[in-house]
Amino acid sequence: MRCILAAKMKAFFEVLEQFYKKVLLGATLENESQEYIFYLNPAVLAQDCSTAASPECSNRRGVQGRHQPPSTTLGTISVVSVCLKRHSPTCSAREIMLLQLTVIKVMITRILSVETDFHAKEKYRDIITILLKSSDIDSTLTCMFQNSDKLLCHMAAKCLALLLYFQMREEIALSNSWIAFCQTNLSEYPENEKAVYCLWTLTFIIKEIFKDTCSQKTEILKQFLTLFDTAFEVFYNSLFSQHFESCQDTSKIISSLICSLELLELLIASRVHLKLHFTCQRILFLKPSCVLGVITWPVQAFVKRRFIVFIKKCLLWKVGEDLCRGSGPALMPPDQHLGVDMLALADAVLQAVDLGLLRTLSVHGKPPFFGGDEVQPAHERVPGPDHVILRAASLLIIKSLEIKFQNCASANEMKVGLQNFMAELLTFLKPHLQPSLQPHNACEWISRVFIEQDDDMVEAARASLGIYLTLIRECKAAERLTQEKEMCNHHTHEYGYNPHCVFLFLLKNIGFDASVLLDFLISSETCFLEYFVKYLKLLQKDWTDFFTICKYFDVTKSKDNINICACSPSLVQDTSSNQTELRPSAALGNHRNARASGSWVSDASSKPLNQLVMPKETPATLLADSPSPPRASQSLVDYDSSDDSEVEGTDQRSANSKQVSLHQEAVKKFQDTVGTSGDEKEVSLEPQSRPLVPKQSNILFSVDWDTVPNNVSEVGLSSKTLKCFEELQSAVYRLQKKNLFPYNPTALLKLLKCIGAIYNESMNAL
């Protein structure tokens, strides 16, 4: 009997294996669709393979043996289902069931693929449709979730998700039993512990929606979320309102937290990429304190790390990038709730920081590795903090401040907020930065914290630049710019957000290497293009302060062999010595007089930038524009006048809504940053038959090195910066000339040319 049974099992497995090989190759199946159903129905083996099946699952199974192939062409084994249920070893039944699930998964994947032959695809579609109609397969797979075999659970969830997505795509009504199963388990959490199985399935389904290339994916997701919007909100409230300390089995809560976090990220990503606004997609922003509270729970470090990185992604509007990369749809315009939601999240983060969030973060202990957190005995653990948490916490605060300040009523409110939160952040960071930050070196914190993560470093630099520009704009609006300029400058250095110092430290990090800047400009993984253009616009209007800072760096380095960032033009008292530090402005002499045209309080109008004279705008003019809605124009501009360049919209919430790691989106940000003009030859992002290259004399600058004094200490840092710019523009021009640059950089080259002209003028003045 055993030999006969083994032979039958082997025959069953061989038929299924041949079936699998054909589907894997996308081959057309010759037999009638009904003949394949018997071999695909997991209910044949589910009861034997399930070691922890509930009574309700057993009651649902009435389909075993119902489907038998009507002919012998497939090697029919009439009694195999009964034999397998009663006598087969569990491992053999498990292997057959895993192969069944794999065949179903591959078959649906072939149906969704555009590369599958039409006739083969129609055959697969017909088989799956018959399987869904003739068996209770969704209930069978749902019961398999409770199996002690984790691989079987995983495959069942993935297979069920594909079947459900196939039904929605083919407009087949979903099973009421499965809908009720999910709605009940989500709503009854934590009393009902099966909610995690529902989270698995929901997550898999949304991932499949993102991966598919069909045009109706928005409608499919809308249909799907409608079923579970209310239930997920109830689950969200229940999950995050638990008292972790009083729970007996914390592992189940942690599992629910991680699963819910992945689903939450997908829901928010679907809001970013698809134009839908369900409550479940906004729940984080409507109740942000729930998720922030997990960071203060006494949970493992990896859980806190996952949550703080997730919130960082939400603030940067980069959520879902890892999950949707390469397959996600194009961004939709920002929804009407975006501004309110981002402000609510930023407010919640700042409130949590004010209540001591940073003091609950432990950045010591075991650092994370790909293979776990254990180190072999023969290897020593490298001591140091968890830089992932340091970077994420830093971005949480600085990005929240940027968003908050866009809605602040006054400059005084901004200054108080900056003083409180930046002081808290710097206090949190200093013990973990070795060597420690110097007393007046606060602006170096960005380069030190983010040195190993380029994209986060650029995000932090851009946020600090946005904070500075917003503060200057508000000061100008309050007509206190002249009186408070020195105090404001001192404030920017003390709390680490002076844009010139931040940029200089960034250049120092990369060794003033123009090739690294070029990589940043071309890369789709950072927002450097937008940040660099905004900074260049500031630099051409704020050259005096930039040169002052460079001068101060050079002088203090030559005197003390250290870099000091306390480079306010005003007197800065050294409390330890009660002596007045060197005033960098005093060493400038004729330079400041020569740059009088760049006065802080000069007229807002200016001559055309392409005339290469110092603009009359003050630094406050850079973002003095009133916020404007996103423009339809997406032009890379020719700076025919500074008025054209000042048409820049400053609503960061709109900018954030466009932010993804796609280079075209980065270019769109660049276009929004530099403004608009009528020169359509510079605006195209389409492939061109020949490169659009202007005459070199009209677009490139060359530093007149003969006018640079021999004493490098006088202009060392500024000359190194301009040398880097000169090399960068030459490299960009060469790539543009060969039609190898990914977008039209004419406007960027003109900005660099303007900076070069300003530098030559200042050197001539010296």
Side-chain angles (χ1 to χ4, degrees), residues 42-43 45-61 64 90 97 139-149 152-153 181 194 197:
L45 306 171
Q47 189 172 358
D48 181 69
C49 214
S50 178
T51 60
S54 62
E56 58 187 285
C57 293
S58 301
N59 294 334
R60 288 180 194 168
R61 293 196 191 100
Q64 288 91 336
T90 303
M97 186 176 294
S139 296
T140 302
L141 295 176
T142 300
C143 292
M144 289 168 61
F145 289 168
Q146 303 167 61
N147 197 291
S148 59
D149 189 324
L152 202 56
C153 291
F181 173 81
K194 299 175 185 176
Y197 308 133

Side-chain angles (χ1 to χ4, degrees), residues 396-427:
L396 279 188
I397 293 178
I398 194 167
K399 190 64 184 179
S400 296
L401 285 172
E402 182 191 17
I403 296 171
K404 174 70 174 178
F405 288 173
Q406 292 163 3
N407 300 272
C408 274
S410 67
N412 287 334
E413 185 181 352
M414 295 183 193
K415 290 177 182 178
V416 172
L418 273 171
Q419 181 174 348
N420 293 338
F421 291 108
M422 289 305 297
E424 182 89 7
L425 175 60
L426 293 174
T427 301

Side-chain angles (χ1 to χ4, degrees), residues 135-266:
S135 68
D136 197 14
I137 189 171
D138 57 331
S139 296
T140 302
L141 295 176
T142 300
C143 292
M144 289 168 61
F145 289 168
Q146 303 167 61
N147 197 291
S148 59
D149 189 324
K150 298 303 180 183
L151 178 58
L152 202 56
C153 291
H154 176 81
M155 285 297 296
K158 202 163 189 179
C159 189
L160 178 59
L162 282 168
L163 285 168
L164 293 169
Y165 182 56
F166 173 82
Q167 290 175 267
M168 290 186 290
R169 202 173 187 268
E170 298 295 317
E171 299 182 354
I172 301 174
L174 298 179
S175 167
N176 291 330
S177 62
W178 181 81
I179 294 174
F181 173 81
C182 282
Q183 290 177 339
T184 301
N185 290 326
L186 289 174
S187 301
E188 294 179 355
Y189 184 86
E191 287 77 12
N192 194 325
E193 297 177 352
K194 299 175 185 176
V196 68
Y197 308 133
C198 303
L199 297 177
W200 287 355
T201 311
L202 298 177
T203 299
F204 280 133
I205 291 174
I206 299 179
K207 283 184 178 180
E208 291 303 322
I209 293 175
F210 269 110
K211 287 194 294 185
D212 199 0
T213 57
C214 70
S215 58
Q216 66 267 31
K217 62 173 59 183
T218 301
E219 287 302 316
I220 293 174
L221 184 62
K222 182 178 180 180
Q223 171 193 351
F224 182 66
L225 294 183
T226 301
L227 298 172
F228 305 104
D229 192 34
T230 303
F232 184 76
E233 182 180 3
V234 175
F235 169 78
Y236 180 92
N237 294 333
S238 301
L239 175 64
F240 294 109
S241 62
Q242 295 180 93
H243 297 287
F244 185 82
E245 302 87 343
S246 60
C247 295
Q248 295 180 349
D249 190 354
T250 57
S251 62
K252 292 182 179 179
I253 298 182
I254 292 174
S255 179
S256 297
L257 286 173
I258 298 301
C259 291
S260 64
L261 193 64
E262 186 176 5
L263 178 57
L264 197 59
E265 184 169 1
L266 279 169

Side-chain angles (χ1 to χ4, degrees), residues 18-24 26-33 36 40 74 103 107 117 119-125 127:
Q18 290 299 319
F19 189 10
Y20 167 69
K21 290 179 180 179
K22 287 186 177 182
V23 175
L24 188 63
T28 303
L29 302 175
E30 301 85 5
N31 298 88
E32 294 295 326
S33 299
Y36 297 94
L40 290 181
L74 291 175
V103 174
M107 187 174 287
D117 176 73
H119 297 290
K121 184 181 294 188
E122 288 299 307
K123 188 71 172 182
Y124 300 160
R125 181 181 284 111
I127 292 172

